[in-house]
């Protein structure tokens, strides 16, 4: 107020217009424009939860750098876009909009999906039921374990495809939320429209790792599932991935259309 009293109002107005003009012509953008894709992602994957979307908008104005909000250790010093995307993923996970599972508990995802009504053991297609039933019922497969190992190795890729189709036939498309290459996998179940909009789209890239929404990462799931079941799925002589398992490709296109 003291400054305005000393200056003539026409001069004040001229200064304000100059500031706006310079900001506009220097290419300055509001946070919503810089991170519109991440905000739209939050809206779709939260089911248009206004509280979550508003929180992401707030974070976009000043992407967080504390580990509690970012949610991934070691990411506190990542560039702003990376921190914002990871913080958004953490927010969605903490509000139960995603399914997350640590590598040592990976086998439990089937029980979680069954409890949530996402799948039912009795209704699963044959390959999916044969491969994943031990995790659903909490029992060892019948017969020699070597016979189960052979079945899993032969049928794993088919079983994962069946599982995706099974869920899609019931109105929910399964996707991976690929935040980092850490020890936790994140899944989302969304409508076919949302899946089409975001499948295999990147939101950030740090040190060559492109993070975003992907088709289910069954290759990584295989590694974590073996670890969590202590070799139940395959013997020590089995190396690599079961034949036909689709592998993660890093260079998915950008969600915001950037080159």
């Amino acid at each position: 107020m003291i400054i305005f009293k000393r200056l003539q109002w026409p001069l004040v107005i001229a200064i304000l217009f100059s500031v706006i003009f310079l900001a506009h012509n220097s290419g300055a953008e509001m946070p919503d424009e810089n991170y519109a894709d991440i905000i739209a992602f939050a809206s779709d994957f939260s089911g248009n939860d206004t509280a979550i979307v508003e929180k992401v908008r707030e974070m976009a104005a000043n992407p967080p750098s504390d580990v509690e909000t970012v949610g991934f250790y070691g990411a506190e010093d990542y560039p702003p876009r990376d921190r914002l995307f990871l913080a958004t993923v953490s927010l969605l996970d903490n509000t139960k909009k995603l399914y997350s599972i640590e590598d040592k508990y990976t086998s439990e995802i089937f029980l979680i999906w069954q409890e949530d009504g996402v799948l039912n053991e009795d209704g699963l297609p044959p390959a999916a039921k044969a491969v994943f039933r031990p995790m659903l019922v909490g029992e060892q497969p019948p017969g020699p374990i070597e016979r189960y190992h052979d079945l899993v190795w032969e049928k794993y890729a088919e079983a994962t495809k069946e599982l995706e189709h099974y869920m899609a036939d019931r109105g929910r498309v399964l996707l991976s939320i690929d935040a980092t290459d850490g020890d936790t996998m994140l899944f989302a179940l969304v409508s076919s429209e949302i899946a089409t909009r975001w499948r295999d789209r990147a939101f950030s890239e740090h040190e060559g790792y492109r993070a975003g929404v992907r088709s289910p990462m069954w290759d990584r799931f295989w590694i974590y599932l073996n670890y969590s079941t202590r070799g139940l799925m395959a013997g020590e002589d089995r190396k690599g991935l079961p034949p036909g398992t689709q592998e993660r490709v890093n260079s998915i296109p950008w969600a915001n259309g950037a080159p």
Side-chain angles (χ1 to χ4, degrees):
M1 291 302 295
I2 295 174
I3 294 174
F4 280 12
K5 285 180 180 178
R6 290 178 179 175
L7 293 177
Q8 296 296 318
W9 275 107
L11 180 58
V12 172
I13 294 171
I15 291 171
L16 290 174
F17 272 105
S18 296
V19 171
I20 294 169
F21 177 82
L22 288 171
H24 176 76
N25 288 278
S26 65
E29 295 178 325
M30 296 296 289
D32 282 12
E33 296 174 354
N34 288 328
Y35 304 123
D37 54 334
I38 296 179
I39 295 169
F41 160 77
S43 178
D44 275 353
F45 282 76
S46 70
N48 297 313
D49 187 308
T50 55
I52 290 175
V53 175
E54 282 306 307
K55 178 62 177 177
V56 175
R57 287 189 188 278
E58 290 176 14
M59 293 193 297
N62 184 24
S65 57
D66 61 293
V67 68
E68 291 81 7
T69 308
V70 175
F72 294 83
Y73 289 105
E76 309 95 291
D77 297 325
Y78 282 13
R81 168 169 281 272
D82 304 76
R83 299 198 313 269
L84 178 61
F85 178 62
L86 294 181
T88 301
V89 170
S90 296
L91 179 61
L92 291 170
D93 185 31
N94 291 336
T95 52
K96 307 300 182 185
K97 304 298 183 179
L98 303 176
Y99 290 94
S100 63
I101 199 82
E102 289 185 45
D103 55 358
K104 59 188 174 184
Y105 304 117
T106 301
S107 62
E108 296 179 11
I109 193 68
F110 296 102
L111 290 173
I112 294 170
W113 283 337
Q114 185 167 247
E115 289 172 0
D116 277 6
V118 175
L119 56 81
N120 183 283
E121 179 219 337
D122 295 332
L124 285 177
K129 186 173 183 177
V131 171
F132 300 127
R133 185 178 184 276
M135 277 69 72
L136 280 165
V137 299
E139 297 177 0
Q140 290 283 322
I145 191 63
E146 293 78 13
R147 187 170 67 188
Y148 178 65
H149 287 169
D150 290 342
L151 180 148
V152 169
W153 191 257
E154 178 187 351
K155 296 288 187 181
Y156 176 78
E158 180 183 354
T160 57
K161 290 184 177 68
E162 284 186 355
L163 194 61
E164 287 187 59
H165 290 309
Y166 172 90
M167 293 179 176
D169 288 344
R170 285 153 181 77
R172 305 181 76 184
V173 178
L174 183 67
L175 296 172
S176 280
I177 305 300
D178 183 17
T180 71
D181 60 354
D183 60 4
T184 298
M185 290 200 75
L186 297 116
F187 292 99
L189 283 163
V190 296
S191 69
S192 58
E193 179 183 1
I194 290 174
T196 299
R197 182 153 56 240
W198 299 111
R199 183 192 295 271
D200 296 325
R201 291 291 183 269
F203 291 89
S204 69
E205 183 174 0
H206 182 66
E207 296 183 348
Y209 192 91
R210 194 164 288 192
V213 178
R214 294 178 178 271
S215 299
M217 297 192 295
W218 296 120
D219 53 345
R220 187 175 296 175
F221 188 80
W222 169 258
I223 296 169
Y224 291 176
L225 189 59
N226 266 326
Y227 173 61
S228 70
T229 58
R230 295 172 175 80
L232 172 67
M233 308 299 292
E236 293 182 359
D237 59 325
R238 298 285 194 188
K239 305 298 181 184
L241 299 170
T245 303
Q246 185 170 330
E247 298 188 49
R248 179 190 183 278
V249 177
N250 188 52
S251 57
I252 54 176
W254 292 102
N256 61 3

